[in-house]
Amino acid sequence: MKKIILLLITLLLCTSCIKKESNEYKIYEELTKELQKVDKTTENIPLNITIEVSEFNDSLLTYSALIDKDPSGMYEITGLLIHNKKTDNMYPSTGIFDEKISLQSNEEKKGIKLTGYVEKYEDIEFKLLIKYKTENNEERKYYYIYEYSTNN
């Protein structure tokens, strides 16, 4: 009887983990689709955002989005950085598959960094979504687009 109860508890725990992962992946897919539809950068973003792209080797590029924190603090941060090239890899994110982080206004931490890699192409469009709450519980969401060309 104890073995049956232990087996049932184990199955329940495994089932809840699968559902949680499915929900996270669903959110990731929804945000990815939302970002793919964005066609311009949000105006007046109160953050400093920098996209850096560099050659890793003859066939790969590494890319990073550096996001300085909002002076009014950033709580429950969700971020996603995608590109317009076909890939089998996950895009870099924060606050979707991992715990949402916060950057308080009085804290020394400067911001966050999302990093990934992609096959080398001549032109790549990167799109960033960053959303969070401020200290006043105001929800903010911004889109940032960066065009990369090897001809730069």
Side-chain angles (χ1 to χ4, degrees):
M1 183 67 172
K2 287 183 181 179
K3 289 182 180 181
I4 292 174
I5 292 173
L6 185 60
L7 179 64
L8 286 174
I9 291 172
T10 304
L11 286 173
L12 284 173
L13 288 173
C14 289
T15 304
S16 67
C17 291
I18 291 169
K19 286 182 181 178
K20 183 177 180 184
E21 290 174 8
S22 299
N23 189 42
E24 292 165 343
Y25 189 75
K26 183 179 175 183
I27 292 168
Y28 170 84
E29 285 291 311
E30 288 172 1
L31 292 176
T32 300
K33 288 177 185 175
E34 176 183 334
L35 251 179
Q36 288 170 338
K37 294 176 185 175
V38 170
D39 61 353
K40 66 179 184 174
T41 296
T42 305
E43 293 183 21
N44 303 318
I45 301 174
L47 310 166
N48 289 324
I49 299 173
T50 305
I51 306 277
E52 297 177 346
V53 181
S54 60
E55 289 188 26
F56 180 73
N57 59 31
D58 290 340
S59 62
L60 288 177
L61 297 172
T62 60
Y63 59 93
S64 298
L66 307 165
I67 304 121
D68 285 349
K69 77 176 170 193
D70 187 323
S72 59
M74 298 171 75
Y75 299 86
E76 299 178 29
I77 301 169
T78 299
L80 178 63
L81 178 60
I82 69 169
H83 53 75
N84 64 336
K85 301 302 175 188
K86 180 158 175 46
T87 182
D88 293 329
N89 299 318
M90 299 285 287
Y91 297 114
S93 67
T94 187
I96 300 171
F97 296 102
D98 53 352
E99 297 231 1
K100 292 184 188 292
I101 60 170
S102 295
L103 300 170
Q104 297 178 13
S105 60
N106 61 356
E107 189 169 40
E108 286 189 31
K109 293 180 184 174
K110 304 272 188 218
I112 58 174
K113 181 177 184 178
L114 301 175
T115 302
Y117 64 92
V118 63
E119 287 185 42
K120 192 184 282 187
Y121 291 95
E122 196 169 300
D123 297 308
I124 304 174
E125 180 180 67
F126 294 95
K127 294 182 180 182
L128 172 70
L129 161 75
I130 187 83
K131 66 180 189 173
Y132 57 93
K133 293 181 181 178
T134 65
E135 288 178 351
N136 299 329
N137 212 28
E138 174 188 343
E139 291 190 18
R140 295 187 176 175
K141 182 195 278 188
Y142 302 107
Y143 302 106
Y144 183 81
I145 298 175
Y146 176 76
E147 302 285 339
Y148 172 79
S149 175
T150 54
N151 299 327
N152 287 347

